[in-house]
Amino acid sequence: MTQIKKTVVFILFAVLALCIALFCCKCGLEDKHKEPRETQEIIKELTTCYGTYGENDQKTIDECLKELEKQDHVAGDKWRSIISLWKYSNNGLVLHYDVLPDGLPATDELCIVVLGYQLNVDGTMREELIGRLEVAKASAEKYPNALIVCTGGHTAYQDSNASEAGRMAEWLIQNGISEDRIIVEDNSLTTAQNAMFSIDILSEKYPQVTKLAIVSSDYHIATGNLLFGARSILLAEKAGEEKYEVISNAAYKASTGSLSTMFQAGSLSELLRT
């Protein structure tokens, strides 16, 4: 290679190295001056990502969790627990059909939470809600010291006085469950509100309750497990110090119905608005 060619090659390599150095310097400056995102913005991306892709985009989920932990360590720990609960609720949760399983607490630290279902326009209950109540009755008889939350609001278009929880409580009482055991939460219109308002009542009036068992249709159990568990995590001082634990479930076998992870993502976002 002639001296001229060597000189040209040297200059080209020098220019390339300079360009690389300038590019890296620019990136470093951009990162240095980049404004940190708000906690809520990170959580929104996290829930949207998992709701859309599930575990197929673990890279983005991990990046969001690391960013959140750097921004707010307590929030980061809580949302790492919620993501783990989300995965478990949809992939690892065992459903118990018709009645709660053996081995749950035999005291009033246990509360059976019966999730409502939209009423007919005239205020009567649909077959699916009655099916859930039959499961709740069998579970209440198996655990006679457990309290029972009936949760669901006013969803009868032609009867503003009728509520899901009110109709559910009436049915249980008529079928032999003591009224003293029944707690009525009749303001909620969504599953997220079921979790928020039910836990608010338990926290205020029933301090002995620490264990929850969800009763609903089979396709709805995972969402109930997630939202009641997530609500407890969010209310705790920090992850691992939750007062309420969802320890079991009893499912009514529904003929149809499904809830997507995107629905669950929206419900988790709803928990954050109160």
Side-chain angles (χ1 to χ4, degrees), residues 37-232:
R37 293 196 292 172
E38 294 289 334
T39 298
Q40 296 301 320
E41 185 180 353
I42 303 169
I43 292 171
K44 181 179 179 181
E45 181 182 357
L46 178 63
T47 55
T48 300
C49 178
Y50 193 89
T52 304
Y53 303 108
E55 297 177 58
N56 294 323
D57 192 2
Q58 191 63 45
K59 180 176 181 292
T60 301
I61 293 168
D62 289 339
E63 289 173 351
C64 286
L65 288 171
K66 289 178 182 178
E67 183 182 1
L68 186 58
E69 287 169 345
K70 184 177 180 181
Q71 183 79 353
D72 183 334
H73 185 69
V74 172
D77 285 346
K78 287 184 177 182
W79 276 93
R80 190 172 290 279
S81 293
I82 289 172
I83 292 296
S84 295
L85 175 63
W86 201 350
K87 293 177 182 178
Y88 168 74
S89 295
N90 287 320
N91 302 314
L93 187 66
V94 176
L95 298 186
H96 303 280
Y97 281 93
D98 302 326
V99 67
L100 288 172
D102 296 341
L104 304 186
T107 67
D108 62 358
E109 70 178 308
L110 175 65
C111 183
I112 300 168
V113 180
V114 195
L115 302 182
Y117 189 85
Q118 185 168 7
L119 298 173
N120 291 311
V121 294
D122 64 353
T124 57
M125 292 190 295
R126 298 173 188 261
E127 180 182 348
E128 186 164 332
L129 183 51
I130 295 172
R132 296 182 187 186
L133 289 171
E134 289 170 344
V135 174
K137 176 179 178 290
S139 299
E141 290 172 343
K142 185 171 183 176
Y143 292 95
N145 294 314
L147 295 172
I148 305 147
V149 168
C150 297
T151 174
H154 298 261
T155 57
Y157 300 134
Q158 295 178 1
D159 187 351
S160 60
N161 293 319
S163 71
E164 296 170 15
R167 292 287 188 258
M168 294 157 70
E170 290 171 3
W171 188 97
L172 288 171
I173 293 167
Q174 290 169 2
N175 284 272
I177 303 301
S178 173
E179 184 176 359
D180 293 341
R181 301 174 60 191
I182 298 174
I183 302 163
V184 174
E185 184 292 293
D186 59 1
N187 290 310
S188 57
L189 296 174
T190 66
T191 311
Q193 290 179 357
N194 290 156
M196 291 186 286
F197 301 160
S198 296
I199 286 178
D200 285 349
I201 291 173
L202 292 175
S203 177
E204 180 181 353
K205 298 182 177 180
Y206 303 91
Q208 74 274 27
V209 173
T210 58
K211 310 297 183 185
L212 307 178
I214 305 297
V215 172
S216 191
S217 301
D218 46 8
Y219 64 84
H220 196 209
I221 293 289
T223 299
N225 189 79
L226 168 64
L227 295 178
F228 275 80
R231 183 61 173 173
S232 186

